[in-house]
Amino acid sequence: MATRFTVKGLRVSVEGKEILKGIDLDIRGGEIHAIMGPNGTGKSTLASALMGHPKYEVTAGEALLDGENLLEMEVDERARAGLFLAMQYPSEISGVTNADFLRSAINARRGEGNEISLIKFIRQLESKMKELEMDPELAHRYLNEGFSGGEKKRNEILQMMMLEPKIVILDEVDSGLDIDALKIVAKGVNSMRSEDRGFLIITHYQRLLNYIRPDYVHVMMQGRIVKSGGPELAERLEAEGYDWVKEELGIIDETVGQA
Amino acid sequence: MSTQLNAPVNLENIAALSQGRGEPGWLTDLRREAAALAGTLEWPKPEKMRIDRWNLTALGEHRAPQLAGDLKQLPEEIRASLPQDAANLVVQRNSGVCYRNLAEEWKAKGVIFTDLETAAREHGELVRKHLFRTVEAGEDRLTALHAALWNGGVFVYVPKNVELDVPLQAVFYLDDPEAAFAPHILIVADANSRVSYVDRVLASGAGRTAEAVHHSVVEIVAGPGAHVRFASIHHLPEGVVDLSIRRATLGNDARIEWIIGDLNHGNTLSVTKSDLKGNGSSSDSKLITVGTGSQNMSITTHAVHYGIGSESEMESRAVMRDSATAIINGVTKIEKGASKANGHQTERVLMLSPKARGDANPILLIDEDDVKADHAASVGRVNEEQIYYLMSRGIDRELAERLIIRGFLTPTVGEVPIEAVRGELERMIEGKLDA
Ligand SMILES: Nc1ncnc2c1ncn2[C@@H]1O[C@H](COP(=O)(O)OP(=O)(O)OP(=O)(O)O)[C@@H](O)[C@H]1O
Ligand SMILES: [Mg+2]
């Protein structure tokens, strides 16, 4: 069955304050959706709420991945169901090596008795790290600890490549990357494009979308998707900014918290 | 005096036991004097912990085992915890040694590795010169009682310039709930020698449900340029109180490395101290503990700098579960005259339960100007952001927590230089985390 991810009427609050005010999305396997929008409009909140971050309270709506409601699952179950979020600010975990962590994550989805062999794991890890032009040393360092901004982002992409999820959300994976790194990360993402995998890419810059060509572009303001279009929408936003969208929709303050 | 002591400690008993074991007169006298002193002294008073409220009366009766010619005669459980290579091994069961062996190669070089009772008979002068000099019998009730009552034990002597490249190992186990269990460990490393010593303290069979006290004292004398590595893992059951005092005296350029795993299930007093007497001497301690159930622990590492340019490093990590309590003290003392001394200490506590208590007490006492000393201490909980991150990759909460806890201990455990000890530590830590 082809992958299908549908978000319907998603409302999310943080500490009693409503941030997302009804989000609808429909992503099919093979598609790439981009979400753009000014700072503080709820993009990361959407990503975190879908992943199940404990701070974000879903007050209405559903998120179906191949018919299963993710919102009823624990964070780890969502991941095992096929959701992956490359985070804007990945955690650092001391004492746990990157390689050990990745192997635990792979085995968690393979289940007991079906663990990946060490040799196979190492072979995969080495080849993906090479693709991402990562220093092999990073496999043996503690997870994200002392990684540079760019190394952390590549490490998120590495995890995506190793875990082979069905739905990938990338939250500002391009921020903090130099132009070469951006190309490498984009190459990694493109290598993962497939009929049974959908992407939701949160970004501020058209630049990334030059390398990862989206099928749909959505604009987020005030905790809603206020405009959707094709790749040309991203190009126009890059060239002209958001004022014309606001004008068109009669929005004065685009951040959330405004009615 | 004997009436003030806990039964069955009394003077006649002690003298008779000592003579019965064929101990030299000086040792019988030492025991007798210590027993008399014990009644006049107080229990040690560590910070924020009343050990006098613990059940300290169950000191047990002398129950010495037969000396076994063969390791096969030991309980399976104990054999499983023995090193693969048991060539250099002393095993104490209850109140006495039941197995001892030292490879001929080392004997030929003048190394002595045997139980302390035997050493007192066969190497009387050497033992007498060092016994209860680093830790004195009259310090408090604990040291006095121990001096009166110690049994079995280990004696290590490494002659000048001899470098042992394999660890000497010892196992102390309790399998008789009524037995006195009080090993004394004396290690003398002569000038420029090298030695590693590893021991484990545990219970097996009926010992596992014992209500008992294990008291032990470790004395280490490292001569000029000597290098001693001492690793000890204690894994006693809930009903056994562990009172363990460890101390090293260091000559010029001598070095001690302590690796301590306090992984008991019962109340624990653990004090590990380096007296950095010699110029250029150095001390490094790594200590790991996991508190579970309702156990109380007072754990202290201590370095006292006397020598010029002496250096100390201390690293202690504690994971606290259930309603366990641990007071983790780190004391760096720099005496006047110890110029260019350098002391660094870290205590970190990870709390897993709201009912657990863990205090980190770093203490710097500095009486000299031209020195360096610093400390870092922290008490924290498992970070929910980190749990979320790991879970977002499909790892369940339980494993996510376990990875973080292991990660917390790894920087210390991973530094343990002897691989077998590292493995054993990891195994016992996992055991305590699983319980
Ligand atoms: N954990 C939180 N606690 C409190 N407020 C939050 C939290 N997360 C988000 N918010 C608030 O919700 C609003 C939307 O934040 P969000 O991070 O989703 O924006 P964003 O669109 O991702 O912005 P940026 O482009 O800067 O990353 C902001 O006002 C923010 O302060
Ligand atoms: Mg954001």
Side-chain angles (χ1 to χ4, degrees):
Chain A
M1 196 180 72
T3 296
R4 179 123 188 223
F5 183 52
T6 352
V7 178
K8 288 184 205 155
L10 184 68
R11 289 177 170 265
V12 173
S13 295
V14 179
E15 288 160 7
K17 180 179 159 200
E18 182 161 78
I19 310 282
L20 298 186
K21 297 167 179 159
I23 299 281
D24 297 295
L25 277 171
D26 189 7
I27 303 176
R28 288 160 195 270
E31 291 176 356
I32 295 192
H33 292 237
I35 292 196
M36 304 184 78
N39 294 127
T41 52
K43 302 183 298 298
S44 292
T45 301
L46 173 62
S48 301
L50 290 174
M51 193 73 248
H53 190 290
K55 269 212 153 171
Y56 298 84
E57 190 201 347
V58 173
T59 54
E62 52 181 22
L64 302 175
L65 177 51
D66 294 341
E68 284 188 285
N69 193 354
L70 292 182
L71 303 182
E72 282 162 7
M73 300 180 190
E74 295 295 328
V75 176
D76 56 317
E77 295 170 326
R78 298 180 196 203
R80 293 197 298 271
L83 183 68
F84 181 89
L85 167 60
M87 302 199 188
Q88 189 171 358
Y89 304 108
S91 285
E92 300 187 359
I93 301 179
S94 190
V96 180
T97 67
N98 213 6
D100 281 348
F101 154 68
L102 263 170
R103 199 144 71 94
S104 303
I106 289 172
N107 286 335
R109 70 188 55 210
R110 292 172 64 109
E112 239 174 82
N114 187 30
E115 285 87 355
I116 189 169
S117 79
L118 186 58
I119 304 218
K120 193 167 167 211
F121 169 74
I122 290 172
R123 222 185 293 124
Q124 274 185 23
L125 182 64
E126 281 176 352
S127 99
K128 309 279 184 210
M129 287 184 80
K130 206 166 166 197
E131 253 182 84
L132 293 168
E133 295 182 24
M134 289 173 76
D135 180 352
E137 186 51 34
L138 290 177
H140 309 293
R141 292 251 304 267
Y142 294 152
L143 179 52
N144 290 327
E145 194 177 71
F147 283 29
S148 75
E151 284 168 346
K152 280 185 186 164
K153 299 289 170 161
R154 279 188 223 207
N155 204 38
E156 294 290 287
I157 299 302
L158 173 68
Q159 293 171 39
M160 174 198 75
M161 293 169 79
M162 295 290 287
L163 295 175
E164 304 182 338
K166 290 188 202 163
I167 290 292
V168 177
I169 306 175
L170 304 176
D171 191 359
E172 295 201 22
V173 75
D174 50 340
S175 69
L177 290 186
D178 62 45
I179 193 73
D180 292 334
L182 186 76
K183 283 186 198 163
I184 292 160
V185 162
K187 204 175 88 190
V189 171
N190 286 325
S191 76
M192 294 290 287
R193 280 185 90 148
S194 98
E195 278 313 303
D196 43 36
R197 185 171 297 121
F199 288 85
L200 182 63
I201 298 178
I202 298 171
T203 180
H204 285 290
Y205 306 105
Q206 162 64 24
R207 207 175 57 165
L208 179 68
L209 305 179
N210 287 337
Y211 300 106
I212 309 172
R213 190 88 183 142
D215 303 294
Y216 300 93
V217 175
H218 310 281
V219 179
M220 197 145 164
M221 286 185 186
Q222 297 179 332
R224 291 188 184 87
I225 289 173
V226 295
K227 195 168 181 66
S228 297
E232 72 291 342
L233 178 55
E235 280 155 28
R236 183 157 179 211
L237 291 172
E238 177 84 359
E240 299 177 31
Y242 290 101
D243 283 350
W244 66 272
V245 183
K246 287 161 72 179
E247 220 163 282
E248 197 177 291
L249 298 169
I251 292 170
I252 314 274
D253 183 342
E254 72 281 7
T255 58
V256 294
Q258 324 304 317
Chain B
M1 276 311 151
S2 61
T3 51
Q4 289 182 35
L5 289 173
N6 302 311
V9 181
N10 65 61
L11 293 183
E12 297 85 85
N13 228 334
I14 284 165
L17 255 176
S18 177
Q19 283 153 1
R21 282 186 273 183
E23 291 181 350
W26 63 264
L27 184 51
T28 306
D29 291 344
L30 190 156
R31 288 184 184 275
R32 203 190 277 130
E33 282 160 30
L37 260 179
T40 69
L41 298 168
E42 300 287 332
W43 289 109
K45 290 195 174 58
E47 292 272 318
K48 302 183 200 170
M49 183 71 74
R50 291 285 303 270
I51 73 160
D52 57 343
R53 292 185 181 159
W54 297 354
N55 181 7
L56 301 176
T57 54
L59 296 171
E61 294 169 23
H62 189 74
R63 299 266 172 95
Q66 292 288 319
L67 199 59
D70 196 323
L71 284 175
K72 289 198 187 78
Q73 289 166 268
L74 302 181
E76 172 54 37
E77 192 183 346
I78 300 302
R79 273 187 289 146
S81 77
L82 293 178
Q84 289 282 321
D85 168 19
N88 306 299
L89 177 68
V90 169
V91 181
Q92 173 166 349
R93 178 182 180 188
N94 303 314
S95 313
V97 71
C98 66
Y99 181 83
R100 54 172 187 248
N101 195 50
L102 175 68
E104 287 303 329
E105 175 195 1
W106 301 114
K107 281 187 196 161
K109 292 195 166 135
V111 173
I112 302 168
F113 177 49
T114 185
D115 63 290
L116 186 58
E117 287 183 21
T118 300
R121 288 190 298 265
E122 296 180 1
H123 307 280
E125 280 319 299
L126 196 51
V127 171
R128 186 179 188 178
K129 189 172 158 206
H130 295 288
L131 188 65
F132 292 103
R133 305 294 163 134
T134 300
V135 175
E136 284 175 31
E139 292 181 14
D140 53 37
R141 185 180 293 186
L142 174 58
T143 57
L145 271 180
H146 178 79
L149 296 173
W150 69 264
N151 50 38
V154 163
F155 179 65
V156 174
Y157 174 74
V158 187
K160 226 177 254 178
N161 301 325
V162 171
E163 299 189 9
L164 273 117
D165 52 17
V166 289
L168 303 176
Q169 313 221 33
V171 174
F172 306 94
Y173 77 94
L174 179 73
D175 68 356
D176 176 348
E178 307 297 325
F181 187 38
H184 188 94
I185 293 126
L186 177 59
I187 298 175
V188 179
D190 218 328
N192 299 314
S193 64
R194 295 249 178 302
V195 60
S196 289
Y197 164 92
V198 180
D199 73 23
R200 296 164 181 77
V201 182
L202 62 153
S204 105
R208 279 186 290 173
T209 49
E211 296 286 328
V213 176
H214 164 262
H215 54 99
S216 71
V217 169
V218 175
E219 297 183 274
I220 298 175
V221 182
H227 188 324
V228 179
R229 185 177 271 168
F230 176 96
S232 185
I233 302 176
H234 288 210
H235 194 238
L236 290 164
E238 197 178 345
V240 180
V241 172
D242 182 8
L243 306 171
S244 290
I245 308 296
R246 311 176 188 94
R247 198 173 301 163
T249 303
L250 304 173
N252 289 344
D253 301 312
R255 177 170 174 79
I256 175 84
E257 290 177 20
W258 301 102
I259 298 150
I260 310 294
D262 278 320
L263 299 168
N264 296 316
H265 290 267
N267 292 350
T268 301
L269 172 74
S270 158
V271 185
T272 306
K273 184 177 175 190
S274 299
D275 281 328
L276 296 142
K277 296 262 167 73
N279 296 337
S281 58
S282 68
S283 160
D284 182 281
S285 85
K286 296 189 193 344
L287 185 145
I288 300 277
T289 185
V290 178
T292 53
S294 56
Q295 69 179 148
N296 288 314
M297 298 191 284
S298 170
I299 294 178
T300 303
T301 51
H302 197 151
V304 186
H305 293 254
Y306 302 90
I308 295 167
S310 52
E311 298 194 356
S312 67
E313 185 77 43
M314 300 189 239
E315 166 108 16
S316 302
R317 290 189 187 233
V319 172
M320 301 303 298
R321 288 182 47 184
D322 310 325
S323 53
T325 296
I327 312 295
I328 313 286
N329 303 300
V331 187
T332 307
K333 172 102 209 280
I334 301 183
E335 300 287 349
K336 183 124 199 79
S339 56
K340 309 272 188 271
N342 188 350
H344 177 75
Q345 55 160 300
T346 308
E347 293 85 41
R348 300 210 183 282
V349 183
L350 183 66
M351 308 291 291
L352 301 185
S353 144
K355 281 194 246 141
R357 178 175 165 206
D359 284 10
N361 290 328
I363 300 164
L364 299 181
L365 302 163
I366 297 173
D367 290 331
E368 172 62 48
D369 298 326
D370 182 18
V371 301
K372 273 191 226 154
D374 59 31
H375 65 79
S378 68
V379 177
R381 298 194 173 277
V382 174
N383 180 323
E384 277 301 316
E385 254 340 288
Q386 294 180 337
I387 296 275
Y388 164 70
Y389 186 70
L390 295 178
M391 286 178 76
S392 79
R393 299 326 186 216
I395 295 168
D396 65 32
R397 175 171 285 274
E398 208 177 316
L399 181 57
E401 275 187 12
R402 186 59 66 88
L403 286 172
I404 291 168
I405 296 164
R406 270 188 217 146
F408 170 78
L409 295 173
T410 289
T412 307
V413 178
E415 292 277 294
V416 171
I418 304 165
E419 200 178 321
V421 179
R422 192 162 61 235
E424 180 90 357
L425 257 177
E426 282 166 357
R427 206 165 57 75
M428 292 198 174
I429 289 167
E430 292 294 315
K432 281 213 86 178
L433 293 172
D434 284 335

